[in-house]
Amino acid sequence: MSAQQMPAAPPSPMLIFNTVMSVQRAYALKAAVDLDLFSAIARGSQTSAEIAKTCAAAERGVRMICDSMTVMGFLTKSGNKYSLTQDSAVFLDKNSPAYMGRALSFLMHPSQVANYQRMTEAARRGGTLPQESPLGPEDPVWLDFAHGMAPLMMPAAEAIAELVQKESGSRPSIKVLDIAASHGLFGLTIARRLPQAQIYALDWANVLEIARKNAEAQGLGGRYHLLPGSAFEVGYGTGYDAILITNLLHHFEPAENEKLLKKAHAALNPGGQVIMLEFVPNDDRVSPPVAALFTLTMLGNTPKGDAYTFAELAAMCRNAGLEGTRLIPLDPTPEALVVARKAS
Amino acid sequence: MSAQQMPAAPPSPMLIFNTVMSVQRAYALKAAVDLDLFSAIARGSQTSAEIAKTCAAAERGVRMICDSMTVMGFLTKSGNKYSLTQDSAVFLDKNSPAYMGRALSFLMHPSQVANYQRMTEAARRGGTLPQESPLGPEDPVWLDFAHGMAPLMMPAAEAIAELVQKESGSRPSIKVLDIAASHGLFGLTIARRLPQAQIYALDWANVLEIARKNAEAQGLGGRYHLLPGSAFEVGYGTGYDAILITNLLHHFEPAENEKLLKKAHAALNPGGQVIMLEFVPNDDRVSPPVAALFTLTMLGNTPKGDAYTFAELAAMCRNAGLEGTRLIPLDPTPEALVVARKAS
């Protein structure tokens, strides 16, 4: 090593140690959510004794969790009183409309963590075994996913709706297919903005039940149509101005995605667009960080999925007959829109 | 909320999301260590294809892990070639003397993670159930602990040895008791510095086997004596100039620790010192971060253990008859020494 290359700081094991210990920090956050202590603080409990009483938990345990939440940035502490941070008040208080506590039940589901515990084997093999995706379509945890992830998806939903409005807003009627509709947020945001839009939502039947309820709660049930089943098997119909494919392509290998995109191409009106929401790393595959790291979710949970670069997604679109593929970043969210068009 | 309190940034779910997703990042690091790809890179493999070949793993999986390691700061990437960081070269290459890969087998042992998965119940109850500390004294994972954690403990071992040298270095003979000796590093560092020191190492018999081998490898076997068993049950003997109690007190409630400290007091020479190594949070219990967060390890793994403040440790020492308790920080390591003395 030359003098020029001499490191400024001595080697330290702390990054390794902190990375490993982040497992317990994640479970501490889950414990705080499960105990619902953020809601307790939102309702006025301040000390560990008061919070423990509200949450029906031991004061000692509540104190240990609250102190840890303070270190981790989810609470502040002044003397022996805890307060919510802005983010906790918005996303972790059960009475907040943007509550995302249920997302933790999905993201930290024992079957997901079991998959991560098999990451060494997945890496050695290049993906999980098909039988290692133990969450079947009817697993109730997908309901937690649908409920919990919606708040995270709001900025993307607004961006998608804006795109559809800009493109098709002047038409007397608009037909939109929302593939992998989940919570329904994407299609419903379009329906709210564009009274002439008819939304066709495709997902597993039990998940669509949530989307349907959300549609009816917003008075949009009359323009909300259900296509229950697999995106690879259900007939889409035709005449769509826009087809949304959100958080879906990363689960599959490129050849499968091309099948899906061909089906979308066939269902679109001329000039209609496919709007994809994806984690899209740069060509270096190591930036931006959250999009690049999404490859781990796919390595751990799917046999052949990946976080695809824009070049890879554009190639899939091209092979499916779509054209003019473009990337629309959604900063500060970690995802991006990829938009392609059927020739007019 | 007044205008003055208005937050500068909009609320964001990213801290929550990143905290939750840190579980998969930790397992990705474990996969990288298990595949031994850091050693492969150290030996000259650069591209994912080359590393995959050396590690007998799929290139796709290796690429996904290496890219993630790059995002996480354990590798650098230039074009399609990966290089080690300084920390990875020192701590994650199996051929480095400071290799700590085996610590991951301990820190992420399925039984530990299972305890974290029960953190909600532990918090509700105020601690784990006694039967939920499933790692018995003879569990081979303690060997991983002993092997893997030693490199992290080197700065503390040097500081302890310096303290003993300063206090007792001029005496013709020195007798040191090393309680919870584990890898043996603490006692052996003293033995290396002070040729007149006799070390008595106390730990479970299978763990002491490692310490004994380390002693013999360093030519110190003749001055290294074994006291196998529990620190609460084994007789210590008498006449010690220093008694080391490293990373032990946090496992137990104060009353138990006072029993241990009274035993130590009885075994010390007048003027002798007890040297404790602990994670010592400030009185606010939310700083410094790593010491404060150590409370989670105790909540998740012990019925009544904790990260004790200096005031709490000083009270235990006082109740055990020790005096002059003082705190010696070991920056930049996350632990500190607490030193107390038997009256001369």
Side-chain angles (χ1 to χ4, degrees), chain A residues 1-7:
Chain A
M1 190 179 280
S2 75
Q4 258 188 323
Q5 291 173 311
M6 281 295 283

Side-chain angles (χ1 to χ4, degrees), chain B residues 11 51 53 60 72 95 100 151 208 213 230 248 260 289 305 324:
Chain B
I51 299 164
K53 201 176 164 192
R60 174 184 149 85
M72 291 163 64
N95 301 304
M100 56 174 276
L208 279 186
K213 277 185 197 157
S230 155
L248 186 65
L260 212 63

Side-chain angles (χ1 to χ4, degrees), chain A residues 3-205:
Chain A
Q4 258 188 323
Q5 291 173 311
M6 281 295 283
S12 161
M14 287 314 293
L15 181 62
I16 299 166
F17 185 74
N18 279 331
T19 299
V20 170
M21 299 315 280
S22 66
V23 177
Q24 72 171 210
R25 295 198 294 272
Y27 280 107
L29 176 61
K30 180 145 198 320
V33 166
D34 289 346
L35 293 173
D36 203 19
L37 58 82
F38 298 104
S39 306
I41 298 171
R43 288 200 302 272
S45 299
Q46 293 186 299
T47 65
S48 54
E50 292 165 5
I51 299 164
K53 202 176 163 187
T54 309
C55 298
E59 178 181 352
R60 174 185 148 85
V62 166
R63 182 260 295 168
M64 291 164 105
I65 295 288
C66 284
D67 284 339
S68 301
M69 289 304 108
T70 304
V71 178
M72 291 163 63
F74 297 108
L75 293 176
T76 58
K77 184 178 186 182
S78 173
N80 63 349
K81 294 181 177 177
Y82 301 96
S83 306
L84 298 183
T85 63
Q86 180 190 221
D87 292 347
S88 302
V90 171
F91 298 106
L92 297 175
D93 169 14
K94 219 172 226 172
N95 301 304
S96 162
Y99 178 69
M100 55 174 277
R102 286 186 69 176
L104 274 65
S105 300
F106 173 79
L107 294 168
M108 297 180 70
H109 190 277
S111 69
Q112 295 250 17
V113 175
N115 274 357
Y116 299 142
Q117 290 181 314
R118 287 190 289 259
M119 187 98 77
T120 303
E121 292 70 45
R124 202 181 292 285
R125 195 191 295 126
T128 61
L129 296 173
Q131 63 269 32
E132 284 176 354
S133 298
L135 297 179
E138 302 299 322
D139 194 295
V141 80
W142 287 111
L143 307 182
D144 288 321
F145 179 75
H147 280 295
M149 298 300 278
L152 276 81
M153 294 297 140
M154 280 179 189
E158 293 294 338
I160 291 171
E162 208 156 299
L163 202 64
V164 173
Q165 180 163 27
K166 194 173 154 193
E167 193 77 16
S168 318
S170 60
R171 300 201 190 159
S173 78
I174 306 170
K175 192 175 170 186
V176 175
L177 175 60
D178 185 0
I179 296 180
S182 186
H183 31 67
L185 180 69
F186 299 110
L188 291 171
T189 304
I190 294 171
R192 266 204 316 277
R193 282 208 193 196
L194 300 169
Q196 75 275 41
Q198 300 287 329
I199 312 297
Y200 291 77
L202 190 156
D203 211 319
W204 304 109

Side-chain angles (χ1 to χ4, degrees), chain B residues 44-66:
Chain B
S45 300
Q46 294 187 299
T47 66
S48 55
E50 292 165 3
I51 299 164
K53 201 176 164 192
T54 308
C55 299
E59 177 180 355
R60 174 184 149 85
V62 165
R63 183 259 295 168
M64 292 164 106
I65 295 288
C66 283

Side-chain angles (χ1 to χ4, degrees), chain B:
Chain B
M1 190 179 284
S2 75
Q4 258 188 322
Q5 291 173 312
M6 282 296 281
S12 161
M14 286 314 293
L15 181 61
I16 299 166
F17 185 74
N18 279 331
T19 299
V20 170
M21 298 315 280
S22 67
V23 177
Q24 72 172 208
R25 295 199 294 273
Y27 280 107
L29 176 59
K30 182 149 195 323
V33 166
D34 289 346
L35 293 173
D36 203 20
L37 58 81
F38 298 104
S39 305
I41 297 170
R43 287 199 303 271
S45 300
Q46 294 187 299
T47 66
S48 55
E50 292 165 3
I51 299 164
K53 201 176 164 192
T54 308
C55 299
E59 177 180 355
R60 174 184 149 85
V62 165
R63 183 259 295 168
M64 292 164 106
I65 295 288
C66 283
D67 283 340
S68 301
M69 289 304 106
T70 304
V71 178
M72 291 163 64
F74 297 108
L75 292 176
T76 59
K77 185 179 184 182
S78 174
N80 65 349
K81 294 181 177 177
Y82 302 96
S83 306
L84 299 184
T85 63
Q86 180 190 218
D87 291 348
S88 302
V90 171
F91 297 107
L92 297 175
D93 168 15
K94 221 172 224 172
N95 301 304
S96 162
Y99 178 70
M100 56 174 276
R102 287 186 70 175
L104 274 66
S105 300
F106 173 79
L107 295 168
M108 298 180 69
H109 190 276
S111 70
Q112 294 251 17
V113 176
N115 273 357
Y116 299 142
Q117 289 179 315
R118 288 190 290 260
M119 188 99 77
T120 302
E121 291 70 43
R124 203 181 291 286
R125 196 190 295 125
T128 60
L129 297 173
Q131 64 269 33
E132 284 176 356
S133 297
L135 296 180
E138 302 299 321
D139 195 296
V141 81
W142 288 111
L143 307 185
D144 287 322
F145 179 75
H147 280 296
M149 298 299 276
L152 276 82
M153 293 299 139
M154 280 182 188
E158 293 294 337
I160 291 172
E162 206 157 300
L163 202 64
V164 173
Q165 179 163 27
K166 193 172 154 195
E167 194 77 16
S168 317
S170 61
R171 297 199 193 164
S173 78
I174 306 170
K175 193 173 169 186
V176 175
L177 174 60
D178 185 359
I179 296 180
S182 187
H183 30 68
L185 181 68
F186 300 108
L188 291 172
T189 304
I190 294 172
R192 265 204 315 279
R193 283 208 191 195
L194 301 169
Q196 75 274 44
Q198 299 286 329
I199 312 297
Y200 291 78
L202 189 157
D203 212 317
W204 304 110
N206 59 333
V207 177
L208 279 186
E209 200 44 34
I210 298 179
R212 190 190 58 78
K213 277 185 197 157
N214 286 340
E216 289 185 356
Q218 297 176 43
L220 303 167
R223 293 188 281 125
Y224 203 74
H225 315 282
L226 309 183
L227 295 172
S230 155
F232 289 96
E233 289 159 19
V234 172
Y236 295 168
T238 55
Y240 291 103
D241 300 290
I243 297 181
L244 319 184
I245 309 181
T246 54
N247 290 317
L248 186 65
L249 299 181
H250 47 243
H251 292 92
F252 309 107
E253 64 188 308
E256 291 295 298
N257 287 329
E258 289 175 15
K259 280 186 209 166
L260 212 63
L261 291 164
K262 277 177 191 160
K263 268 187 86 171
H265 180 270
L268 278 174
N269 282 332
Q273 53 188 352
V274 178
I275 303 174
M276 294 152 271
L277 179 66
E278 282 294 330
F279 291 90
V280 186
N282 295 326
D283 286 338
D284 64 13
R285 290 190 187 279
V286 295
S287 66
V290 178
L293 285 172
F294 190 74
T295 196
L296 290 177
T297 301
M298 294 301 101
L299 175 62
N301 287 289
T302 69
K304 297 187 173 175
D306 206 346
Y308 293 109
T309 65
F310 175 69
E312 290 169 330
L313 290 165
M316 294 176 217
C317 289
R318 202 164 48 241
N319 293 340
L322 295 157
E323 59 186 40
T325 311
R326 61 199 170 102
L327 182 73
I328 305 174
L330 295 177
D331 300 330
T333 90
E335 292 194 278
L337 297 181
V338 175
V339 184
R341 184 182 296 283
K342 181 171 179 171
S344 327

